[in-house]
Amino acid sequence: MNHKIELLAPGGDVDAIKAAIIAGADAVYCGLDTFNARNRASNISFDELVGVIRLAHQYTCEIFLTLNIVILEREFTSLAKLLSKLVNTTLDGVIVQDIGMFNLIKKHFPTLDIHASTQLTTHNAGQIGFLKKLGASRVNLSRELNLREITELTAVSREHEILTEVFVHGSLCVAFSGLCYSTSASVGNSGNRGRCSQACREEYETTATGHNFPLNIKDNSAFFDLPALIEAGVTSFKIEGRIKGASYVHTVVDSFRKQIDGFIRTGQLLEDGERLYKVFNRDFSNAFLRGDLNQSMFIDNPRDNSKNHAIAKSSGVTDNNLISVVQIQEVEQTLYQEKNEINDAVKNKIQYLSIDKVPLTLSFSGEAGSQLSLTLSTENENSTEALSTQQTPAVNMPKTAAKSFVLQSTSLLTKSEHNGIDQATLDKRFRSLGNAEYVLKVIDLQHLAADLSVPFSELTSLKNEAARLLNDNKALLPAVTLPALERHAKGAEGQTETQAKLSILISDEADIYLTEVTTADIYFKLPDAYKRDCTKYIDFLTANPRLIPWFPAVLIGKDYDVAINILEQVAPPLIVTNNTGIAYRANQLGIQWIAGPFLNTTNSYALMAMKEEFDCSGAFISNELNQQQMKNIARPANFKLFYSIYHPILLMTSRQCFFQQSVGCEKPRIDNGCMLSCDKSTTITNLKGVSFAIDKQKAGYPSIYNQDQFLNTQVIHDLADLFDGFLIDLTNIGAGDNLSPDKVALISQFEQLLAGDQKVEMTLNAMVTESTVSQYHTGL
């Protein structure tokens, strides 16, 4: 091992953060009560964040702040105010999802270290280059990757001088992060805004294979894979769990700390991991890491599995029906006592760790003809003198050394009966030193003679110098006021055509005949997966230059290599891509590209970032936004905006198979053959009677769709001045058993609608019998 290993722990509230620190975390990630992807966590206030940073640094532990959601247009003023405060702390990094926020921080807050969130589902080499150019210093690799893929990407990361994180423990999403829209589409709770309602943990009607929780997978744990991850070059081992309590966090972090340290010291794994089963778990799997995506990853119990594990370990029997009630009660009682002991031990360890503000005293002294002196004094905030003789801290607490500084004015004090320095004047001038870090206890004038004056500019200079000294000898950075965004009209410069144009998405080569019935732009959706060295689509796209290649959101390993080869060999004048790795290479090749709808574009700053950094020529605005959230987005110069008005509503996409727990599959695991050849479909129904279509296309990832199609004709009237083009998706993907309307007829109706014939709306609604537009009204 020739690189440092970081143990990165979750902190959903102050106690959990304290527990992580005292358990030996090298860094802790936490969120404020805004702009973070764990709304269900308790989270912390800004003042608590400052105290947490101070406490963590006493233990040589770093603090990273999660700002890992997509940002709405109206939120950037508030976001800039927050970032202006953060740059004047000693925060060690911010975790970011939104491309626009990358742009904002890189331009206006360059002292903040940016980490790319797991919500960006980073899984190929091009994405790493893309994120590096945006300003990221580290990336969190997708949880779906196996060891070989992780090893390859860490090697790429080193070339870009960027660090890698991998989740080693905690809850697993069955869907690719950032690409799950399940509760957004159903109840308006977007995972991209930290409000995931966990549809994958819901109970469903019993499936054909006898399962009631067909989407629920076990927790991730790489406890015994740490040597392989170290060998792979991973820098940070990240633990999930910001909605977990202090006892959970301490137990897991302490277990991993001992395992890592033991391995580094001896070259052996010394811990058995049994303590991990004493706290919340859904049983554990490392199947993603091993690249063995089998049925054992699923579990029909979304709640705590620690009791079942304890019973099985005690009795040697996994079926609780074969164990007596007395045996079960005994095991439950023992486990209950053990959990209480863990809670009490952790509570005892953290109870004296303080994040209180540091007491600050200002003492002024001087007499006529002398300089005005200001003495700043801070107290030792972790002093144990405040504890009674019976209160002994359970851990050795580092102490913040008391500080004392003496400052003097340049001018001399003069006598003044009317404008003398008094308590009210100094309170007004210096009260800002009482901030998130310090509590201003006393402004002492005992040694300052009465009726003395000094120019107010001298007081301002003393205050500014005091603020600098109290801020680790760094001048406070002024608040950033964002400049007004330039707003450009539709169409390229000199272009008079303003009517929005229709575009069509197809995925079946048989649909090539549609090029003869319409002048609309036709995008061809390329697969997620390919045979190695596949050239089929190079030949097809070369023979059909009218088609604009449309690249999918997920391209891993050889599939990314094949997609890049298609891009390089076909060299089309324009593409649409939902994968930033493809965008990165297109920019290098000088190929114009449009950001697809699954890049989750929700604001002007994201458009600006893609335009300025990667010469992007247009973007689809996210279908998660409502009318109000879209209408104030500012278009960059010579940039086109698009919106999909008719498409299947994707709820989630997974690397795992959805059929094993629903209708069953003769194959015990999903492999490359499944990816290329399987084209099953079925439905699952929740306990509210709502059904969802499970669809697996050949060479596509397993996906789940809403039963209703998205059909939005209102946006054509509401936002006619915003959008250059509207997309209709004719791929039939996700349609399930629903009969698809005639494609030629659909195209004709949409073309008439865009030409201003509003009467066809009734016809369209009749043709698409099961449709919804709820996302357009609900928004994020």
Side-chain angles (χ1 to χ4, degrees), residues 476-498:
L476 293 176
L477 298 174
V480 171
T481 300
L482 297 179
L485 294 171
E486 292 184 16
R487 296 179 178 274
H488 297 270
K490 250 176 26 173
E493 292 181 5
Q495 195 176 55
T496 58
E497 177 65 41
T498 59

Side-chain angles (χ1 to χ4, degrees), residues 469-750:
L469 290 170
L470 293 171
N471 190 45
D472 286 341
N473 211 28
K474 295 185 297 185
L476 293 176
L477 298 174
V480 171
T481 300
L482 297 179
L485 294 171
E486 292 184 16
R487 296 179 178 274
H488 297 270
K490 250 176 26 173
E493 292 181 5
Q495 195 176 55
T496 58
E497 177 65 41
T498 59
Q499 179 180 312
K501 187 175 181 181
L502 184 68
S503 56
I504 300 164
L505 179 64
I506 63 173
S507 61
D508 190 339
E509 296 164 55
D511 285 337
I512 192 66
Y513 75 93
L514 294 175
T515 59
E516 300 174 4
V517 301
T518 179
T519 60
D521 287 337
I522 300 182
Y523 305 122
F524 184 81
K525 184 181 184 298
L526 289 162
D528 301 327
Y530 306 85
K531 292 181 179 179
R532 191 173 297 279
D533 302 321
C534 170
T535 60
K536 169 184 175 181
Y537 294 100
I538 296 174
D539 299 334
F540 176 68
L541 291 170
T542 301
N544 295 280
R546 172 96 184 272
L547 299 180
I548 300 170
W550 173 291
F551 289 86
V554 179
L555 289 163
I556 300 174
K558 70 169 178 57
D559 300 322
Y560 171 71
D561 295 336
V562 172
I564 288 292
N565 192 45
I566 293 171
L567 183 69
E568 293 173 345
Q569 297 302 315
V570 176
L574 176 68
I575 65 167
V576 177
T577 179
N578 295 279
N579 186 285
T580 56
I582 295 294
Y584 182 72
R585 184 60 181 141
N587 177 235
Q588 290 179 325
L589 295 170
I591 295 173
Q592 286 198 328
W593 66 281
I594 294 170
F598 297 114
L599 287 186
N600 299 322
T601 303
T602 60
N603 59 70
S604 307
Y605 288 88
L607 303 179
M608 191 187 310
M610 293 187 290
K611 172 73 173 176
E612 293 176 352
E613 298 283 1
F614 305 99
D615 198 25
C616 181
S617 60
F620 280 82
I621 299 301
S622 170
N623 279 93
E624 288 194 282
L625 297 184
N626 62 31
Q627 175 192 351
Q628 190 69 26
Q629 291 164 345
M630 284 190 279
K631 73 176 186 178
N632 291 321
I633 290 177
R635 174 201 316 275
N638 298 316
F639 195 91
K640 292 186 177 182
L641 295 180
F642 303 91
Y643 183 80
S644 177
I645 56 175
Y646 174 65
H647 58 259
I649 300 174
L650 176 68
L651 300 181
M652 63 178 73
T653 298
S654 181
R655 203 174 190 183
Q656 177 55 282
C657 176
F658 290 134
F659 299 108
Q660 291 177 342
Q661 300 291 99
S662 53
V663 293
C665 181
E666 61 185 21
K667 299 184 72 170
R669 55 184 45 80
I670 188 169
D671 56 24
N672 195 51
C674 299
M675 280 295 295
L676 293 172
S677 60
C678 176
D679 59 352
K680 287 183 181 179
S681 64
T682 187
T683 59
I684 53 173
T685 304
N686 66 18
L687 298 187
K688 297 176 183 177
V690 180
S691 295
F692 305 97
I694 297 178
D695 185 282
K696 167 70 177 69
Q697 297 286 309
K698 287 184 178 180
Y701 283 106
S703 299
I704 299 179
Y705 293 86
N706 202 324
Q707 285 288 75
D708 295 329
Q709 298 276 306
F710 183 82
L711 176 61
N712 183 0
T713 58
Q714 300 172 37
V715 69
I716 298 172
H717 317 301
D718 297 339
L719 299 173
D721 293 336
L722 181 64
F723 290 111
D724 298 89
F726 293 107
L727 172 74
I728 60 172
D729 184 334
L730 302 184
T731 60
N732 293 340
I733 295 172
D737 297 329
N738 295 333
L739 185 65
S740 297
D742 180 78
K743 294 178 181 181
V744 174
L746 267 180
I747 292 171
S748 175
Q749 295 298 312
F750 277 110

Side-chain angles (χ1 to χ4, degrees), residues 17 57 111 184 234 296 353 383 410 413 418 573 686 709 751 758:
I17 296 169
H57 288 178
T111 59
S184 172
V234 175
S296 70
L353 298 179
S383 172
T410 304
L413 290 163
H418 303 293
N686 66 18
Q709 298 276 306
E751 286 179 333
Q758 297 184 19

Side-chain angles (χ1 to χ4, degrees), residues 176-189:
F176 286 104
S177 296
L179 297 174
C180 180
Y181 307 97
S182 57
T183 55
S184 172
S186 58
V187 293
N189 292 336

Side-chain angles (χ1 to χ4, degrees), residues 429-430 454-467:
R429 291 278 171 172
F430 288 86
V454 73
F456 283 154
S457 61
E458 289 279 1
L459 296 180
T460 300
S461 295
L462 285 174
K463 183 197 72 174
N464 292 341
E465 180 63 11

Side-chain angles (χ1 to χ4, degrees), residues 219-273:
D219 288 352
N220 169 46
S221 190
F223 195 68
F224 300 106
D225 301 291
L226 299 180
L229 287 170
I230 293 172
E231 181 67 22
V234 175
T235 299
S236 180
F237 294 169
K238 189 170 188 177
I239 296 168
E240 184 276 340
R242 281 198 291 131
I243 60 173
K244 306 294 201 312
S247 298
Y248 173 93
V249 171
H250 187 278
T251 301
V252 175
V253 173
D254 185 61
S255 298
F256 270 84
R257 178 80 278 158
K258 287 181 169 63
Q259 187 78 305
I260 292 169
D261 291 350
F263 176 74
I264 292 174
R265 188 176 65 253
T266 67
Q268 302 293 322
L269 294 177
L270 305 178
E271 299 291 313
D272 62 7

Side-chain angles (χ1 to χ4, degrees), residues 161-174:
E161 297 182 334
I162 196 168
L163 303 178
T164 54
E165 293 176 353
V166 167
F167 275 104
V168 295
H169 194 86
S171 296
L172 272 178
C173 297
V174 72

Side-chain angles (χ1 to χ4, degrees), residues 28 77 87 166 256 310 403 520 552 633 720:
V28 178
T77 299
V87 294
V166 167
F256 270 84
K403 300 176 183 177
I633 290 177

